[in-house]
Amino acid sequence: AANPNAPRIGTTTFTRYTGRPFTNFARIIEFQSSANSQYNGLTFDIQKRFSNNWQMRLAYTYSKVKDDRPDATAVVPGTDDPKYAQDPLNLHGDWAPGDNDVPHRVVLSGVWSLDSYAEHTSGFARGIFGGWTISGIASWQSGQPYTAFTSVDLNNDGNARNDRAPGFARNTFRLPHQFSVDPRVTKEIGIFAGARVQLIAEAFNLFNESNVTVVRNTYYAVATTGGVPSKFTLQDIPTSNPFGLPTTSFGPRILQFAAKIVF
């Protein structure tokens, strides 16, 4: 069997500019309102309106976002360097699935009022079993795309933070899917004329799913000779920090308790 860690030898091509039109400046940034974005979507929505003490809604969206990397917040040189289009002379080269492209998303929500089941009780039993409501939201979506980058300024435009790995289009790879269940239980208690207190217990991401939002995106480590890229080393072999390694997730499990007075 082949050794997956054996060195792999091959060639790759990339665009590299030489010479600058204004040699007295390191970088010149032009801001344009010329970006393109396209969204197509199809939504299915099934609702059971509130009756017989419960309601439910199921929504599914199938969609596609494509753009050439528009970003109105890319205004600060240095800080916003990763947001710029890779090649300022070929903006269409960034035409690909948008950063917010989520092909599939499913959301299930519902409310179940248990109060009516205790309406024939009285006194202590009514106080214990009445006033309960169970609700929640469960959501699932496919992972958003991300781009494979290099570690140097391949095209020599003065920005080393937006150069894609040769051989890959923008947003070729996908993050893992995201899933969350957010339940809520409410107990309502009458306290005096016209006023009541609501005791609330709720959870966010109940099952503590690791919903990854950022991974290591350096595909090639690049060595240079005389300032020119000369050797590309793949980062997909087992290392302590390989390409695709999750680095950031959002929404750890949170439990929250509250009390609200309504009058």
Side-chain angles (χ1 to χ4, degrees):
N3 179 4
N5 297 331
R8 281 165 279 181
I9 300 174
T11 59
T12 187
T13 59
F14 56 91
T15 299
R16 184 172 178 83
Y17 296 108
T18 58
R20 295 180 178 275
F22 303 101
T23 57
N24 291 330
F25 297 89
R27 293 173 64 185
I28 298 176
I29 299 175
E30 179 183 8
F31 299 95
Q32 299 180 0
S33 298
S34 58
N36 296 282
S37 182
Q38 181 184 80
Y39 173 84
N40 293 287
L42 179 66
T43 298
F44 295 95
D45 192 344
I46 301 174
Q47 297 186 42
K48 193 274 183 185
R49 299 189 183 279
F50 191 83
S51 63
N52 299 319
N53 306 312
W54 68 283
Q55 69 180 39
M56 186 167 288
R57 180 175 186 177
L58 175 65
Y60 166 71
T61 301
Y62 172 71
S63 63
K64 187 69 174 179
V65 177
K66 297 197 74 175
D67 58 41
D68 50 13
R69 208 174 193 190
D71 195 326
T73 67
V75 295
V76 182
T79 301
D80 294 334
D81 281 358
K83 301 177 182 180
Y84 296 134
Q86 174 183 259
D87 188 344
L89 299 182
N90 180 23
L91 298 180
H92 190 72
D94 276 291
W95 182 256
D99 294 347
N100 294 318
D101 180 49
V102 178
H104 305 280
R105 179 170 172 81
V106 182
V107 179
L108 175 66
S109 62
V111 177
W112 184 21
S113 175
L114 306 179
D115 188 59
S116 64
Y117 300 115
E119 63 182 7
H120 299 300
T121 62
S122 60
F124 181 77
R126 173 68 178 174
I128 295 297
F129 299 109
W132 291 95
T133 300
I134 299 174
S135 59
I137 298 176
S139 61
W140 179 95
Q141 69 176 48
S142 47
Q144 294 174 235
Y146 69 95
T147 302
F149 289 102
T150 63
S151 56
V152 299
D153 182 11
L154 289 184
N155 61 7
N156 199 33
D157 66 350
N159 185 354
R161 300 175 65 190
N162 68 343
D163 289 76
R164 293 191 299 272
F168 293 99
R170 172 174 165 250
N171 282 339
T172 301
F173 298 88
R174 289 272 172 179
L175 297 170
H177 71 262
Q178 297 182 1
F179 176 67
S180 182
V181 175
D182 308 329
R184 175 172 176 161
V185 178
T186 303
K187 165 68 173 175
E188 191 169 276
I189 304 171
I191 49 178
F192 52 82
R196 55 197 186 278
V197 62
Q198 290 182 349
L199 303 178
I200 302 168
E202 56 190 354
F204 303 93
N205 191 12
L206 178 64
F207 300 112
N208 203 31
E209 290 287 323
S210 296
N211 292 314
V212 176
T213 57
V214 180
V215 298
R216 176 169 164 76
N217 58 11
T218 301
Y219 193 84
Y220 289 124
V222 183
T224 61
T225 301
V228 178
S230 58
K231 181 181 179 182
F232 295 78
T233 304
L234 290 168
Q235 299 295 290
D236 62 345
I237 61 176
T239 67
S240 60
N241 198 18
F243 174 77
L245 177 73
T247 59
T248 304
S249 63
F250 86 100
R253 178 170 52 217
I254 297 175
L255 303 179
Q256 182 170 285
F257 303 92
K260 180 170 66 174
I261 297 177
V262 182
F263 58 90

